[in-house]
Amino acid sequence: MLRGIHSFFVWTSAFLLLLISFFALHSIGRCDLWSWNTADEGESPFSSATLGVGRGRFAVNVWIHEDDGSATVGTTLDHIAVASQSPALRDGVERSSFGGFSIARGARASPNHVSYLGVLVPFWAPLILFGVLPAIAVIRAIHRRAELRIVSRLLIGLSLESFALAVFLAVMWIRSMDYDYAAVPDKFFSENYAYLLSSGGITYWYFFDEPLRLRTPMWWRFPAGQSGRRVAATMDPASRFLGFGRIKTTYMHFSMFSGPSAPRPLTIVAIPYYALLALALILPVAMVTHQVGVMIRKRRKSKGRCPQCGYDVRATPEQCPECGFVLEKPHKPEISTSSTPT
C-alpha cells in the first residue's frame, strides 16, 4: 500500500512537472493569463482566480467571496495572451518578498466579505519541487540496477487517480440532489454544440448534430429543478431505463434582433452517476484485489504452504500434491572446489 501511494505521488509529480513545463514553454515571448470567475446572475462576484505566466514567473491570484448557496451561480474559464511582460499580484494589503518570491494577503475592497491570497514564484521553484520525486525514483532504479517497472507503477498511479475520480463523482452525485449543474461552451445556446447537465443523480449529455465546436466553457449552478431556463431541451423521464436514456429532439433559438433561428437537431444521452462511479472503480478494485492476492501468496509461502491453495508443502517442496502447482525451487549457490598445490 505504501509503495502504491509512493508511486501515485511520483507519477503525479511527473504529470505536474510536464504541466509546468508546458506553461513555461507556452509563454515564451508573451504573457498568458488564465482566469476563473464565479458570479450570480446579478453579476455579483462570489470567487475568482487568475494564473499569469510570463517572463520566467508564475503569478496566482485568488479571491474568495461569501456564498450562501441559494443563488444561481455561473462560472467562466477564459484565457488571453498579451505582449511579453511579468505577471503581477492584483491585490493585497500586506505584501512580503524574498529571493524572487512574493506573497500578498488581505483584499483591499470589502475586507470583511472577501479573502485574498496572491503568490508570485519563479519558474525554477515548481520545476525543482515537482522534479525531485521522479528524479529520485530514476536514480534509485539505476543505482540498484533494477527495472523501472513503468507499466506496473503507472497502473498503480492510474488506479489511485481513478479512485480520486470516483470520490469526485460520488460527491457530485450527492450534490446533484440539491443543485443542478450545467456546463456549456459559452453564454448563448445559439452557438453551443455540446454541453452537460447534472441533476437528480443523472448526467445528461447534449450534442447538437453539427461539427463539434468547443468554446469558452461556463458552469452554472441552480437550486434543484430550476435549470430549465438554461438548457435547450429536457428529456422525458419515461424514456429512461435504470437511469439510462437517449432521445433526439430539435432546438430553436429566439433572438429579439434576428427572430427565431432554424430548427437544429439535438441528441440527449442520459447516464446515471452510479454507472460512471462503477466505471471509475473498476481499475482501483482490480488493483486492490491483485495486491491482496500477492500478499496472501507471500504469506502462505513464508509459512511453508502452497501459494495457490494453501496446502502444507514442507514435505514436498517442489510441487504441491493437492493442486499440482509447481513451486519455485530454492536457488542453491554453486560451491567451487579448488585444489591447493602441495
Side-chain angles (χ1 to χ4, degrees):
M1 185 64 181
L2 293 178
R3 182 179 299 178
I5 295 176
H6 178 263
S7 299
F8 170 75
F9 281 110
V10 169
W11 285 102
T12 302
S13 298
F15 171 77
L16 293 175
L17 179 63
L18 293 176
L19 184 63
I20 294 297
S21 300
F22 165 77
F23 282 128
L25 295 174
H26 192 270
S27 63
I28 293 177
R30 63 180 186 176
C31 180
D32 290 301
L33 180 64
W34 282 267
S35 61
W36 173 80
N37 298 285
T38 299
D40 60 18
E41 288 189 312
E43 301 299 328
S44 298
F46 280 110
S47 56
S48 57
T50 62
L51 170 64
V53 186
R55 295 280 182 91
R57 291 185 174 185
F58 290 95
V60 180
N61 297 272
V62 180
W63 295 264
I64 303 297
H65 299 244
E66 290 185 353
D67 180 8
D68 58 9
S70 59
T72 299
V73 176
T75 301
T76 306
L77 292 178
D78 201 1
H79 166 256
I80 60 174
V82 297
S84 179
Q85 62 184 18
S86 180
L89 300 179
R90 302 292 190 85
D91 204 345
V93 178
E94 301 178 6
R95 296 200 178 196
S96 57
S97 301
F98 176 76
F101 296 85
S102 297
I103 298 177
R105 300 176 299 276
R108 290 192 293 266
S110 303
N112 296 329
H113 304 283
V114 182
S115 300
Y116 167 78
L117 176 65
V119 180
L120 184 67
V121 298
F123 279 170
W124 58 265
L127 291 176
I128 294 177
L129 177 64
F130 298 120
V132 170
L133 284 179
I136 292 176
V138 173
I139 292 173
R140 283 182 175 178
I142 295 175
H143 178 71
R144 294 179 301 179
R145 296 182 179 180
E147 297 180 0
L148 290 176
R149 293 182 293 180
I150 295 178
V151 176
S152 61
R153 294 180 182 274
L154 181 60
L155 286 176
I156 293 175
L158 288 177
S159 64
L160 290 173
E161 292 175 3
S162 183
F163 177 75
L165 175 62
V167 172
F168 171 77
L169 289 173
V171 172
M172 289 301 299
W173 186 359
I174 296 173
R175 291 185 63 85
S176 69
M177 301 301 176
D178 298 324
Y179 294 101
D180 292 350
Y181 293 88
V184 298
D186 50 38
K187 295 182 179 180
F188 303 101
F189 283 110
S190 61
E191 301 177 359
N192 286 343
Y193 290 82
Y195 55 96
L196 169 68
L197 171 66
S198 169
S199 176
I202 307 291
T203 61
Y204 300 88
W205 305 76
Y206 290 65
F207 299 96
F208 290 91
D209 296 353
E210 302 171 17
L212 184 63
R213 299 180 185 178
L214 297 179
R215 301 171 185 264
T216 302
M218 283 194 66
W219 284 266
W220 287 95
R221 188 194 72 187
F222 308 87
Q226 298 185 18
S227 60
R229 65 180 185 271
R230 286 289 177 180
V231 299
T234 58
M235 173 177 278
D236 181 8
S239 65
R240 294 201 303 267
F241 176 73
L242 297 178
F244 294 90
R246 179 179 178 272
I247 189 172
K248 291 185 69 68
T249 182
T250 57
Y251 167 66
M252 182 179 294
H253 174 73
F254 180 84
S255 173
M256 62 181 301
F257 301 102
S258 58
S261 64
R264 300 170 59 197
L266 174 66
T267 301
I268 307 175
V269 179
I271 304 176
Y273 269 108
Y274 73 81
L276 299 176
L277 184 61
L279 187 63
L281 286 175
I282 290 177
L283 187 57
V285 171
M287 291 301 298
V288 169
T289 304
H290 173 72
Q291 293 297 326
V292 170
V294 170
M295 293 174 60
I296 292 175
R297 287 191 292 270
K298 287 183 178 180
R299 184 177 180 85
R300 287 175 176 174
K301 188 175 180 180
S302 65
K303 291 186 176 182
R305 297 184 176 274
C306 173
Q308 190 73 20
C309 65
Y311 188 81
D312 192 342
V313 293
R314 285 176 292 182
T316 57
E318 295 184 356
Q319 187 174 8
C320 176
E322 181 70 17
C323 66
F325 181 76
V326 178
L327 304 173
E328 296 181 2
K329 295 181 180 180
H331 176 71
K332 296 181 179 180
E334 296 181 359
I335 302 175
S336 59
T337 58
S338 59
S339 57
T340 305
T342 56

